[in-house]
Amino acid sequence: MEDRVRVVIAEDSVLLREGLTRLLTDRGHDVVAGVGDADALVKTIADLDGRGELPDVVVADVRMPPTHTDEGVRAAVTLRGVHPGLGVLVLSQYVEERYATELLAGSSRGVGYLLKDRVADVREFVDAVVRVAEGGTALDPEVVAQLLGRSRKQDVLAGLTPREREVLGLMAEGRTNSAIARQLVVSDGAVEKHVSNIFLKLGLAPSDGDHRRVLAVLTYLNS
């Protein structure tokens, strides 16, 4: 059982909204509100905050009424500006680089971007919600692949080996060193060495603390 978190879901499809609610409540989490458009999301968060009941995380569709373009992610960015400690996990049918980059351009804590297909893996989805609620990151592997693929043309990547880029991609998905080691079938020590090399080549000093993992990813996304 993951740590219990409080969630607000913003999704215009009633079927999907109810499905997400069921997935989370079945794992012991509290879905404190479900809304169908971006305006209702912003109002709900304001109301909850006014009562001292701000949730841990918002799960929002990128595209919501009335235009079904970018209302969801715009609301997410707005909420992050007003409530920096609020976790935001956005869901999208396709990889949309502009929206992913915009979401990641602000604070590096408590953000996530997943493709909706990822919801089919219940454990992975719920883990992502909890990770974002606790201030971590959760980036879909497809999003990471596209964003890092675009960044490979930049000089900042010149010093990284292919294995270090692979490790960075898995870091961007929110995986721990141990999880990366299992994925790549190498030792924990080998992963720690790769991560240290990435930090060194990107000029991220030890004083940056644990945030260096996120800063390393954001350096690529913003390059």
Side-chain angles (χ1 to χ4, degrees):
M1 179 73 70
E2 299 88 352
D3 293 336
R4 192 183 190 97
V5 298
R6 301 176 69 254
V7 188
V8 169
I9 298 175
E11 166 61 57
D12 62 295
S13 167
V14 176
L15 184 60
L16 180 54
R17 188 167 70 239
E18 292 301 319
L20 295 176
T21 299
R22 180 66 181 271
L23 290 180
L24 291 167
T25 55
D26 281 354
R27 299 300 292 268
H29 302 296
D30 296 326
V31 177
V32 296
V35 298
D37 62 71
D39 288 343
L41 171 60
V42 173
K43 183 179 185 303
T44 296
I45 295 300
D47 290 344
L48 290 170
D49 183 44
R51 301 199 299 266
E53 300 174 357
L54 194 69
D56 300 303
V57 60
V58 167
V59 178
D61 191 354
V62 166
R63 302 177 178 229
M64 288 196 290
T67 68
H68 292 278
T69 53
D70 60 357
E71 284 87 353
V73 74
R74 292 290 180 196
V77 171
T78 297
L79 290 172
R80 292 280 294 173
V82 177
H83 309 286
L86 176 65
V88 172
L89 174 62
V90 299
L91 304 178
S92 179
Q93 192 69 38
Y94 310 101
V95 177
E96 301 177 87
E97 290 185 21
R98 178 167 63 88
Y99 298 149
T101 303
E102 183 173 2
L103 183 67
L104 293 165
S107 172
S108 60
R109 289 181 56 81
V111 295
Y113 188 112
L114 294 181
L115 295 183
K116 286 187 175 180
D117 288 347
R118 204 66 56 186
V119 177
D121 186 329
V122 175
R123 177 70 186 187
E124 185 173 346
F125 168 68
V126 177
D127 283 350
V129 172
V130 174
R131 190 159 63 246
V132 170
E134 294 177 344
T137 58
L139 298 182
D140 195 284
E142 292 297 323
V143 174
V144 173
Q146 286 204 24
L147 294 175
L148 292 184
R150 179 194 63 189
S151 299
R152 286 196 180 97
K153 299 176 182 178
Q154 306 298 327
D155 291 340
V156 71
L157 297 176
L160 289 188
T161 66
R163 176 62 91 180
E164 288 165 355
R165 291 175 181 172
E166 190 173 11
V167 169
L168 180 56
L170 294 171
M171 287 167 57
E173 294 173 25
R175 298 177 190 247
T176 64
N177 285 1
S178 295
I180 293 172
R182 290 193 298 271
Q183 176 73 21
L184 300 181
V185 195
V186 297
S187 68
D188 286 2
V191 173
E192 290 174 5
K193 183 176 180 180
H194 288 312
V195 172
S196 294
N197 286 340
I198 290 169
F199 292 157
L200 179 64
K201 292 176 181 179
L202 294 181
L204 298 173
S207 60
D208 291 324
D210 293 336
H211 295 307
R212 289 192 297 170
R213 295 181 76 88
V214 176
L215 291 173
V217 175
L218 293 178
T219 297
Y220 279 86
L221 301 185
N222 294 326
S223 65

